[in-house]
Amino acid sequence: INTCNGFYCDYFSPNKPYKPTLWTEAWTGWFSDFGGPNYQRPVEDLAFAVARFIQKGGSFVNYYMYHGGTNFGRTAGGPFITTSYDYDAPIDEYGLIRQPKYDHLKELHKAIKLCEKALLNSDPNIVILGSYEKAHVFSSESGGCAAFLSNYNLRSNAKVTFNNMHYNLPRWSISILPDCRNVVFNTAKVGTEASRVQMVPTNVKIESWETFNEDVHSVDDESSMTVKGLLEQLNITRDTSDYLWYTTSVRISSSESFLRKGTPLTLSIQTAGHGIHVFINGQLSGTLFRIENIGPHFETRNIGVQGPVVLHGLDEGKKDLTWQKWSYKVGLKGEADNLGSPNSIPSIDWTQGSLATLKQRPLTWYKAFFNAPGGDDPLALDMSGMGKGQVWINGESIGRYWTILVNGNCSGCSYVGAFRQTKCHFGCGGPTQQWYHVPRSWLKPTRNSLVVFEEIGGDASKISIVKRLTATDK
């Protein structure tokens, strides 16, 4: 049995005429990727898509997602997909109802249910009502009748006559008539106010900060293997860690005869990893990121440093480092010592000190403690003061964080017309994700451990616990 996934599936037909028409993924929104915008799919269009499918004779609709979620740990479906998998779902990532999407779909389902007898006992008869207007009529032998009146026009509302009665159809909408006379639902007419999300500070203090810094100088000594040339990342890490060290040595004279006058010494790297940090003699010299999440045969693609790796600016022109001897080390010392777990017995000593002196220091682990906020409102970590890394609470991985800013077009959103990922962006000007879901079931009343690994550098003193509230616009 073949099925359909997509924003719309009214075009779909099963591979045999006697098989049911199944829509296994009716996309309620779209996932977010770090560096990209967040997406909203107007519920008017989603309801329109479902009604289009049912009026054609569709048998089954499954929403994806009906309840948004969180990619805890390292479970995101691609290297750039955000930890949040909210998906603009009718029930959001935190378990709160998103209006008007929730109620409008609820009313749609009620309307379809009222048409049940006619839908299950006949195929639709299509009646042309105008250039863009149609009626799909279901009539059962027992006398049941249901009709779907559609207007596909993108610009104009329509007045149509059906069964000697007059109906007004908003543009890009479908009206449902369970008795072929009375309209009980129109996909473009939303009767519920929009819910408004607020992330409200709590009075929780995060205290007793300690730090540990990864020793870049010791990486070469701890490398597990050395070979000539560059190796693919997953073949070495086996996905046990996000991190793989590539290390090589280069001898360069600082005399003018070896450096091209007036030309800076630069390094070019061809990489298929989602991020790379370059350290020269233990100092962070540069960071590079790529943006790509999906595509054909994504699972077969190589990742990591593929080469060439070339040093430019020498008097001789350039030096290709690709086929030098490279040493490899999987993961971080903090990972090996299980620093994310409150029960670990690390072989390192945490350092107490002022966070003010540690701002923008790369490859730093932070540890602190906090008490759980009162109440039962959903909770999140505000990570807007940090750069990029991972977070653990009481040994449970909250996931990857990255405060890269949104690149998108947030100029406006209309429900009219086919929805695609290029429509209805929001969040421009800020990070793609700022708040990271903290399940209350992971917390104890007091002394919860918070561990953060920061790759680039940030201000851990700005990390805070917030609660998520919703209200409706008046």
Side-chain angles (χ1 to χ4, degrees):
I1 297 177
N2 63 327
T3 68
C4 180
N5 299 335
F7 292 118
Y8 307 93
C9 280
D10 53 291
Y11 64 87
F12 171 76
S13 296
N15 53 24
K16 297 291 183 181
Y18 57 82
K19 293 182 179 180
T21 304
L22 307 179
W23 190 357
T24 42
E25 290 186 10
W27 297 340
T28 61
W30 196 243
F31 64 82
S32 300
D33 51 77
F34 286 116
N38 290 292
Y39 302 90
Q40 288 177 324
R41 186 179 185 188
V43 70
E44 299 95 325
D45 177 69
L46 178 57
F48 181 57
V50 173
R52 285 172 68 171
F53 181 76
I54 297 297
Q55 75 177 6
K56 187 190 173 184
S59 302
F60 168 86
V61 179
N62 173 68
Y63 290 95
Y64 183 99
M65 308 286 291
Y66 209 82
H67 190 328
T70 307
N71 294 313
F72 293 119
R74 300 170 53 247
T75 60
F80 303 102
I81 294 177
T82 56
T83 298
S84 170
Y85 205 78
D86 182 81
Y87 218 86
D88 195 40
I91 303 174
D92 72 14
E93 175 185 4
Y94 295 81
L96 300 176
I97 288 175
R98 174 176 277 118
Q99 297 290 20
K101 187 164 280 189
Y102 185 90
D103 276 358
H104 196 56
L105 292 180
K106 183 178 178 180
E107 294 304 313
L108 167 66
H109 306 153
K110 285 182 179 179
I112 294 173
K113 177 70 174 177
L114 292 173
C115 304
E116 179 178 23
K117 187 173 182 179
L119 290 174
L120 293 179
N121 286 280
S122 66
D123 291 323
N125 178 42
I126 300 176
V127 180
I128 304 300
L129 303 178
S131 299
Y132 298 93
E133 301 81 32
K134 295 180 181 180
H136 287 68
V137 184
F138 297 81
S139 301
S140 65
E141 294 181 358
S142 61
C145 182
F148 292 68
L149 309 184
S150 59
N151 177 12
Y152 292 92
N153 198 314
L154 301 179
R155 295 185 175 88
S156 302
N157 300 336
K159 294 182 179 180
V160 299
T161 300
F162 172 72
N163 279 352
N164 297 319
M165 297 183 66
H166 302 293
Y167 299 90
N168 294 316
L169 301 179
R171 56 182 181 154
W172 198 253
S173 78
I174 294 175
S175 288
I176 300 178
L177 292 64
D179 57 0
C180 285
R181 293 184 62 83
N182 297 294
V183 176
V184 299
F185 181 84
N186 178 270
T187 59
K189 295 181 179 180
V190 178
T192 305
E193 298 171 340
S195 54
R196 181 167 35 87
V197 173
Q198 296 175 302
M199 304 304 279
V200 180
T202 65
N203 58 0
V204 170
K205 293 183 179 180
I206 303 177
E207 301 175 311
S208 305
W209 284 101
E210 298 178 288
T211 64
F212 166 70
N213 194 238
E214 291 279 332
D215 185 4
V216 179
H217 294 91
S218 66
V219 169
D220 197 33
D221 299 333
E222 300 170 354
S223 296
S224 59
M225 60 184 297
T226 300
V227 298
K228 185 177 181 180
L230 298 164
L231 301 179
E232 199 274 338
Q233 183 170 339
L234 280 179
N235 280 336
I236 304 175
T237 65
R238 301 295 179 184
D239 202 28
T240 58
S241 171
D242 281 0
Y243 307 103
L244 176 65
W245 293 92
Y246 291 75
T247 308
T248 193
S249 297
V250 184
R251 291 186 179 274
I252 301 175
S253 171
S254 60
S255 65
E256 287 292 328
S257 61
F258 283 86
L259 297 176
R260 187 179 298 171
K261 291 183 179 180
T263 302
L265 200 60
T266 59
L267 188 68
S268 64
I269 302 171
Q270 179 65 36
T271 176
H274 79 285
I276 184 170
H277 308 298
V278 179
F279 294 84
I280 297 177
N281 295 332
Q283 300 298 314
L284 180 63
S285 298
T287 293
L288 175 69
F289 300 112
R290 298 173 70 254
I291 300 295
E292 181 178 33
N293 272 309
I294 57 174
H297 307 292
F298 185 72
E299 73 282 359
T300 66
R301 301 182 190 179
N302 293 334
I303 67 168
V305 180
Q306 296 180 327
V309 177
V310 181
L311 193 59
H312 302 269
L314 301 174
D315 188 49
E316 61 196 55
K318 60 183 180 180
K319 183 177 180 64
D320 193 332
L321 310 180
T322 306
W323 291 103
Q324 291 200 156
K325 286 186 176 181
W326 288 85
S327 297
Y328 297 87
K329 178 193 172 186
V330 177
L332 308 166
K333 181 171 178 55
E335 288 180 309
D337 286 325
N338 198 22
L339 295 188
S341 173
N343 302 318
S344 65
I345 305 176
S347 59
I348 58 95
D349 292 322
W350 290 90
T351 301
Q352 293 184 342
S354 171
L355 292 180
T357 62
L358 300 174
K359 292 180 182 179
Q360 307 309 318
R361 191 171 76 172
L363 302 189
T364 300
W365 294 81
Y366 298 86
K367 181 173 71 172
F369 295 91
F370 66 94
N371 296 334
D376 56 5
D377 297 311
L379 302 176
L381 273 178
D382 185 342
M383 299 296 292
S384 57
M386 301 300 284
K388 183 178 184 291
Q390 299 181 43
V391 189
W392 295 261
I393 289 182
N394 292 333
E396 302 285 354
S397 177
I398 294 294
R400 302 182 180 107
Y401 69 87
W402 191 4
T403 53
I404 186 171
L405 298 182
V406 166
N407 178 21
N409 179 10
C410 300
S411 58
C413 178
S414 171
Y415 79 88
V416 176
F419 181 81
R420 294 292 182 266
Q421 299 94 292
T422 53
K423 290 183 65 175
C424 300
H425 297 176
F426 71 97
C428 296
T432 302
Q433 185 172 356
Q434 176 177 345
W435 299 289
Y436 293 79
H437 184 199
V438 178
R440 280 190 176 266
S441 61
W442 291 4
L443 300 182
K444 305 177 294 183
T446 60
R447 199 166 172 77
N448 296 281
S449 70
L450 168 66
V451 175
V452 178
F453 173 67
E454 171 60 48
E455 297 178 22
I456 308 168
D459 187 353
S461 67
K462 293 183 178 179
I463 297 175
S464 63
I465 308 289
V466 300
K467 57 184 178 181
R468 185 176 178 91
L469 305 177
T470 59
T472 54
D473 293 327
K474 300 299 183 181

